[in-house]
Structure formats: C-alpha cells, structure tokens
Amino acid sequence: MAELESPTVMPKLISFLSSLLKRVAESNDLNQQQLHQKISVFHGLTRPTISIQSYLERIFKYANCSPSCFIVAYVYLDRFTQRQPSLPINSFNVHRLLITSVMVAAKFMDDLYFNNAYYAKVGGITTIEMNFLEVDFLFGLGFHLNVTPGTFQAYCAHLQREMLLIQPLTFADSSLSLGKSLKAHLCFNEDEASSHQKQQQLAV
C-alpha cells in the first residue's frame, strides 16, 4: 500500500474522486426529469453548503480508515447506481452516499473501525439517520460487498487512466500503481475482472 499511503498520492486521489462525483452529480441534476429520479433516505431537502471535495477531505481526515477503503467505497457507489437506476448520484444525495459508502467499506475492509455514531458526527448527521442510511445502502447493494483483487485492480486502473487524462503532468510522475500495491491487502478468492469490463463506470 506504499503508493496510497504516500502523503502526496491520497490527496490527489481524494481531489480526483471529488471532481468525478461532482461532474456526475451536476450532470444528473440537469437530467433529473428525464432520469425519473425518485426521493430516497439519501436525499436531502436542500443541497449541502459544504462542497463534495471538502466533505470527502473531512471524511479522509477524521475517518482514519485504510486508504483502500476509498477505492472500495467508489466500487460500492458504482454498484449501487447500477442496481438502483432510479437513484442516480445528484447534488442532493451525494454527501450521504459518500459517508455511508466509506463507513461500509471501512467495516468490511478494516479490522478496526469507528462506530456509526462517530461516522454520523463526521458526516454531520444524526446517529439514527446514519443507521437508516447504512441499512438502505446495504439493501441497495444487495449485500454485494465482496471486492476481489481483480475488481479492485480494474477500478484502480480506471481511476489512474482518468487522472492521467485530466492532469498528465501532475499524475504521470506519481507512479500510481494502485491495484498492484493493494492487491496483497485483499484476501478474496473470486475474480470479477472479466465481468467488470462490461460494467459502466461512474464517469460521464
């Protein structure tokens, strides 16, 4: 996990994920009527005043979960939107989806993790709401939490390609071999790499 634990790589990854989610949310905001979006427990009454990047940076600062959790959270968000097409990521739900996905990823990936009350405080919501969000998210995923090394590596490769396309000079020298560095951290047997090639990523 050397690359992700670098003091320079993770901030870049957080920044890119924030930018990616912002583009997706704004695009779905514009297409709200065409997409027939429905209201869910993740949907806020108003758009949060805190930006997606500031919110994700706050989670990164206080959650103290392993760096791989943010990749796994990204996988979960992709799975969630695929399984719940009427609940696309938008400006009203992206913050709650973020805090929930990171918390679920930390519980699945890490031996030690904070409880729901702590994540609720980090996310700026109540513990009761955090509990509801977790249950809805798990059912939305169909409890499909397993992330194989192949899937993990495929998502890392996708993120790396996107990062290089957007800022080639910034990221080209960072040696962001995310999948390779974290493959040993995962301990799953199933290989989803081939099926992942057929999946649509969050990027628009």
Side-chain angles (χ1 to χ4, degrees):
M1 297 203 317
E3 284 85 353
L4 281 185
E5 291 176 349
S6 165
T8 59
V9 171
M10 272 309 290
K12 291 176 182 177
L13 179 62
I14 294 297
S15 177
F16 176 76
L17 282 174
S18 303
S19 175
L20 173 66
L21 290 169
K22 182 181 178 182
R23 294 202 311 271
V24 172
E26 290 177 347
S27 174
N28 287 333
D29 288 344
L30 294 174
N31 298 322
Q32 187 170 1
Q33 293 183 345
Q34 292 90 333
L35 293 174
H36 304 290
Q37 301 177 25
K38 68 178 183 180
I39 305 299
S40 72
V41 294
F42 299 98
H43 197 97
L45 296 177
T46 59
R47 290 183 177 89
T49 55
I50 184 172
S51 69
I52 296 174
Q53 179 162 345
S54 295
Y55 194 71
L56 194 53
E57 287 173 348
R58 175 178 171 82
I59 297 173
F60 175 63
K61 180 178 180 180
Y62 293 108
N64 200 32
C65 58
S66 61
S68 57
C69 288
F70 290 90
I71 302 294
V72 173
Y74 171 63
V75 176
Y76 289 168
L77 287 174
D78 197 16
R79 288 177 179 174
F80 185 88
T81 55
Q82 290 181 50
R83 291 179 61 92
Q84 308 296 327
S86 62
L87 294 175
I89 293 174
N90 57 46
S91 297
F92 291 89
N93 64 23
V94 62
H95 294 76
R96 286 176 173 81
L97 284 169
L98 266 176
I99 189 67
T100 309
S101 62
V102 173
M103 184 184 75
V104 171
K107 288 185 175 184
F108 190 76
M109 294 292 297
D110 295 347
D111 294 328
L112 299 174
Y113 50 84
F114 289 111
N115 60 21
N116 288 26
Y118 182 86
Y119 272 95
K121 190 173 182 179
V122 172
I125 57 178
T126 66
T127 303
I128 293 175
E129 185 176 7
M130 188 78 260
N131 294 340
F132 278 120
L133 294 177
E134 180 184 27
V135 171
D136 272 53
F137 192 72
L138 290 172
F139 275 97
L141 286 173
F143 291 87
H144 184 200
L145 301 179
N146 187 40
V147 178
T148 67
T151 297
F152 188 92
Q153 202 164 15
Y155 274 83
C156 288
H158 169 76
L159 286 172
Q160 183 175 359
R161 285 194 302 270
E162 292 294 318
M163 290 166 76
L164 289 172
L165 284 173
I166 292 176
Q167 289 181 298
L169 296 178
T170 303
F171 295 109
D173 299 328
S174 65
S175 301
L176 241 168
S177 303
L178 302 178
K180 188 179 295 183
S181 67
L182 285 165
K183 192 171 182 180
H185 182 68
L186 301 173
C187 54
F188 309 112
N189 300 317
E190 184 185 352
D191 192 349
E192 297 174 338
S194 58
S195 63
H196 171 78
Q197 294 174 358
K198 301 176 183 179
Q199 296 176 352
Q200 294 294 321
Q201 295 292 330
L202 284 170
V204 293

